[in-house]
Amino acid sequence: MVTSVSWWEGAVVYQLIPRSYSDGDGDGIGDLKGLSGRLSYLRWLGVDAIWLTPIYPSPLQDGGYDITDFKNIHPELGDLAAFHRFLTSAHAQGIKVILDLVLNHTSHLHPWFQRARWAPKGSPERDVYVWSDDPNRYAEAPILFRNFETSNWEWDEVAGQYYLHRFLRHQPDLNYENPWVQEQMLGVVDFWLQKGVDGFRLDAVPFLFEAEESRCEGLEQTHDFLRKVRTFVDNSGKDVLLLAEAIQPVEEAAPYLAEDELHAAFNFELTAQLFAGVASGNSKNLGLCLNKAQEVAPGSCWALPLRNHDELWLGDGHLVPEEVIQSIRAGLHQGNGHWLNWGINRRLAPLLNGDPRANRLLHALIYSLPGMPCIYYGDELGMGDWPGLRDRDPNRTPMAWTPGRNGGFSTAPDPLLVLPPITAPGYDYRVVNVEVQKHLPGSLLNWHRRMLTCRRLLPALQAGGFEILDSGHPSVLVFVRYIKNMTVLVAANLSAAGASFHLDLSRWEGASTREVLWGCYYPEANEKWFVYLSSYGFNWWLIGEVEETK
Ligand code: NOJ
């Protein structure tokens, strides 16, 4: 029997912000033309897919997540023809393209909203959004953008009613009780499917429907609609990934993963536990989270990000102990560690105190744990951030390509740049950039490339089974990934101090053990196999030789 494998099995995703990636027309803003010119870099790096944050027309009050036309391209990024050229060249280079699909809300400048506020109360046009005469409706729904909003409702003078906005007041929530809304949004999916995209990252999925006496998150009707999206995509006959964004603990994100619902969901709890593990030097909660993720959604695909364009969520005080959060913040230079809405608003490198060993360790983990590793642009270089910028802009600054002007991002004069390139001490683009790191064999960039090459050669890391082994050491996480004819052993030391320990490898007694990255042989597997890992050290070993499949 031939079983078909979806393209995302074993895939590595690279997230980028098109406005900040590469400027192809010299106006200071990254665009599709510039991005098209960087596809060869992404292919060289070894990623399988790129996820673009929203590229649609928008007043950009929320980084493009406030959309005025779902079926078009923001003029600063190009047009539909430029998108076609970009997609064709991505596909020609073997790179899949995932778009952001913002279902929950539009911009307040979207024609639907403008029509709704002028239309009579109770009319079909008004009914496209969620209105109320009473701002205490859905009182149990928490405010998500705590730094910017004090209510989920905004009074509209023209409409003479309040409208619901779970995010900024510039982002009114669509009314999913209205079949017309559902039909329109499926039309949006269809539009981009016809253009040939390979997947969607579904923004803010928990919030589509509302109900009294609930937090208005993950309601049954929301799941019903997501199942409709899945059926729609399945009926198209295309192999298209549906990836959910739900910033929630594993148990609450897992219900989106179902055979008839979404294919994948971010595991943000794992992200929090990875940072907490490194900050505390303790691997226990990370191990518990990993086991839980496999239990609640067996065989499902978790997407594994370290950072993204939002703040780092550490779990509202329930997942990561307050003292660990404080120690992460205390390690950051400047201010109070930049707490915004629900987390810390900084990039990976500064969050790890600029230590490339910790960057390698955390990436080595996402490259070898079950799931889909997601790299945030610039983190492959250890790029820094600009903590003084507004909202989440500190970690959305231009990609550093060369030591030249504006880091090779754009030829425009400085004041026209979308955001300032990084010149902060230790992270200056004249030092931290693609060109320089490509030339240095020991650079972080070359390390990432090597790891991705090795990963590609090890199917056990891409789709194998997973089991945690007991290391007996509080700082160390050890696990195996396996398929029928290949077993890979992984050990990671989350502490800044070296760690030595013994592993019981008696079930592979007598098998050879070979370190993957450099091919060096270790002693044969036995009951008391000795391992030493340096500060933030990790290793991948092949246990036994890889048997040829007949
Ligand atoms: C999640 C996105 O990642 C974030 O950037 C955005 O502000 C909200 N959803 C609202 O769309």
Side-chain angles (χ1 to χ4, degrees):
M1 195 179 84
V2 184
T3 47
S4 66
V5 173
S6 291
W7 70 256
W8 53 89
E9 184 162 307
V12 175
V13 174
Y14 184 95
Q15 180 200 350
L16 62 89
I17 302 180
R19 309 175 65 76
S20 294
Y21 205 60
S22 191
D23 174 13
D25 62 6
D27 65 353
I29 300 166
D31 48 38
L32 293 171
K33 185 172 172 221
L35 173 56
S36 303
R38 302 297 185 180
L39 289 166
S40 52
Y41 163 73
L42 294 165
R43 187 183 148 100
W44 171 87
L45 178 60
V47 302
D48 304 287
I50 52 181
W51 150 32
L52 313 184
T53 54
I55 53 175
Y56 318 104
S58 159
L60 302 173
Q61 276 152 318
D62 180 16
Y65 285 90
D66 47 327
I67 296 166
T68 50
D69 182 356
F70 288 105
K71 297 183 182 171
N72 220 325
I73 303 290
H74 195 293
E76 287 168 349
L77 301 184
D79 54 17
L80 285 168
F83 181 76
H84 177 72
R85 285 193 294 275
F86 153 71
L87 191 65
T88 310
S89 28
H91 286 167
Q93 308 217 31
I95 296 176
K96 304 284 184 188
V97 175
I98 301 169
L99 292 189
D100 234 299
L101 178 65
V102 185
L103 295 168
N104 182 66
H105 45 264
T106 67
S107 160
H108 66 140
L109 299 181
H110 194 291
W112 295 345
F113 187 72
Q114 290 305 317
R115 203 168 58 199
R117 57 199 291 255
W118 289 97
K121 210 167 157 178
S123 65
E125 289 82 3
R126 173 76 63 100
D127 196 38
V128 171
Y129 293 84
V130 184
W131 299 92
S132 176
D133 296 324
D134 172 10
N136 294 316
R137 208 175 160 197
Y138 309 135
E140 286 170 38
I143 294 166
L144 302 168
F145 277 176
R146 297 167 213 163
N147 276 59
F148 302 108
E149 300 295 350
T150 50
S151 165
N152 283 324
W153 295 96
E154 180 73 8
W155 175 253
D156 187 277
E157 266 316 324
V158 174
Q161 276 193 302
Y162 294 92
Y163 62 88
L164 181 74
H165 59 90
R166 295 305 304 279
F167 294 92
L168 295 179
R169 67 192 71 176
H170 320 286
Q171 291 164 299
D173 273 41
L174 285 164
N175 175 16
Y176 274 84
E177 301 283 358
N178 182 341
W180 184 87
V181 169
Q182 298 197 13
E183 204 183 298
Q184 293 302 309
M185 296 316 284
L186 289 175
V188 172
V189 172
D190 188 44
F191 180 84
W192 294 105
L193 281 182
Q194 298 311 324
K195 296 270 173 266
V197 305
D198 306 290
F200 296 100
R201 176 256 191 200
L202 283 74
D203 184 66
V205 285
F207 311 112
L208 303 187
F209 280 81
E210 295 77 36
E212 284 303 348
E213 281 158 43
S214 83
R215 290 171 59 87
C216 300
E217 286 174 21
L219 298 177
E220 204 34 54
Q221 305 92 297
T222 294
H223 288 286
D224 288 342
F225 178 70
L226 294 173
R227 281 191 281 267
K228 277 192 200 167
V229 175
R230 172 61 181 270
T231 307
F232 190 83
V233 165
D234 283 351
N235 289 344
S236 77
K238 297 181 198 267
D239 191 28
V240 166
L241 168 71
L242 297 176
L243 164 60
E245 185 230 18
I247 307 180
Q248 289 175 325
V250 160
E251 307 81 335
E252 288 168 44
Y256 299 97
L257 292 168
E259 221 172 306
D260 58 351
E261 209 168 317
L262 306 183
H263 303 108
F266 290 104
N267 189 342
F268 288 115
E269 178 175 341
L270 183 76
T271 307
Q273 297 299 1
L274 284 166
F275 278 93
V278 165
S280 63
N282 192 302
S283 70
K284 184 167 166 232
N285 290 340
L286 177 58
L288 294 175
C289 171
L290 283 164
N291 278 334
K292 190 170 60 168
Q294 316 313 312
E295 273 158 33
V296 293
S300 278
C301 183
W302 290 105
L304 314 177
L306 288 173
R307 289 297 291 115
N308 60 23
H309 61 296
D310 291 326
E311 52 277 51
L312 170 68
W313 178 73
L314 291 166
D316 293 328
H318 306 303
L319 296 178
V320 177
E322 190 54 36
E323 64 272 17
V324 177
I325 296 183
Q326 288 316 328
S327 79
I328 297 175
R329 295 178 72 182
L332 287 158
H333 300 288
Q334 304 175 26
N336 60 2
H338 297 269
W339 196 264
L340 184 87
N341 300 321
W342 58 69
I344 305 175
N345 187 19
R346 301 294 301 270
R347 251 191 188 269
L348 179 67
L351 279 164
L352 300 175
N353 303 315
D355 191 333
R357 295 169 307 173
N359 181 315
R360 288 188 175 98
L361 171 74
L362 292 186
H363 278 102
L365 281 168
I366 62 165
Y367 292 162
S368 46
L369 286 169
M372 188 191 293
C374 300
I375 306 170
Y376 184 53
Y377 82 99
D379 285 349
E380 73 274 30
L381 306 171
M383 217 167 94
D385 54 15
W386 270 136
L389 299 177
R390 68 171 286 280
D391 193 357
R392 287 150 289 172
D393 284 350
N395 41 331
R396 297 176 176 185
T397 60
M399 177 70 175
W401 294 103
T402 71
R405 179 146 161 258
N406 300 332
F409 161 71
S410 170
T411 54
D414 290 11
L416 300 187
L417 298 184
V418 60
L419 284 171
I422 304 294
T423 51
Y427 298 106
D428 195 311
Y429 65 76
R430 281 161 289 200
V431 181
V432 180
N433 65 67
V434 171
E435 188 181 300
V436 166
Q437 292 205 15
K438 260 190 170 182
H439 281 92
L440 297 174
S443 68
L444 198 53
L445 178 61
N446 278 315
W447 175 87
H448 278 277
R449 181 169 185 248
R450 189 177 178 89
M451 288 293 278
L452 294 177
T453 307
C454 289
R455 182 188 145 88
R456 208 166 316 123
L457 298 173
L458 296 172
L461 293 187
Q462 294 165 35
F466 169 75
E467 185 188 332
I468 294 184
L469 304 187
D470 183 15
S471 74
H473 192 297
S475 303
V476 174
L477 178 76
V478 180
F479 56 92
V480 278
R481 301 292 316 275
Y482 53 91
I483 52 174
K484 193 164 155 268
N485 51 1
M486 178 187 283
T487 301
V488 179
L489 172 68
V490 179
N493 173 18
L494 301 171
S495 151
S500 59
F501 52 96
H502 284 100
L503 290 179
D504 177 1
L505 300 187
S506 51
R507 72 173 113 150
W508 296 281
E509 185 71 47
S512 65
T513 58
R514 186 154 48 106
E515 190 271 331
V516 171
L517 279 188
W518 308 103
C520 140
Y521 278 96
Y522 272 57
E524 285 177 355
N526 61 30
E527 203 188 328
K528 245 181 147 214
W529 199 68
F530 178 77
V531 183
Y532 172 74
L533 294 176
S534 59
S535 162
Y536 300 125
F538 74 91
N539 233 329
W540 292 353
W541 295 270
L542 266 175
I543 302 187
E545 294 304 321
V546 178
E547 294 159 28
E548 295 292 326
T549 22
K550 298 235 165 68

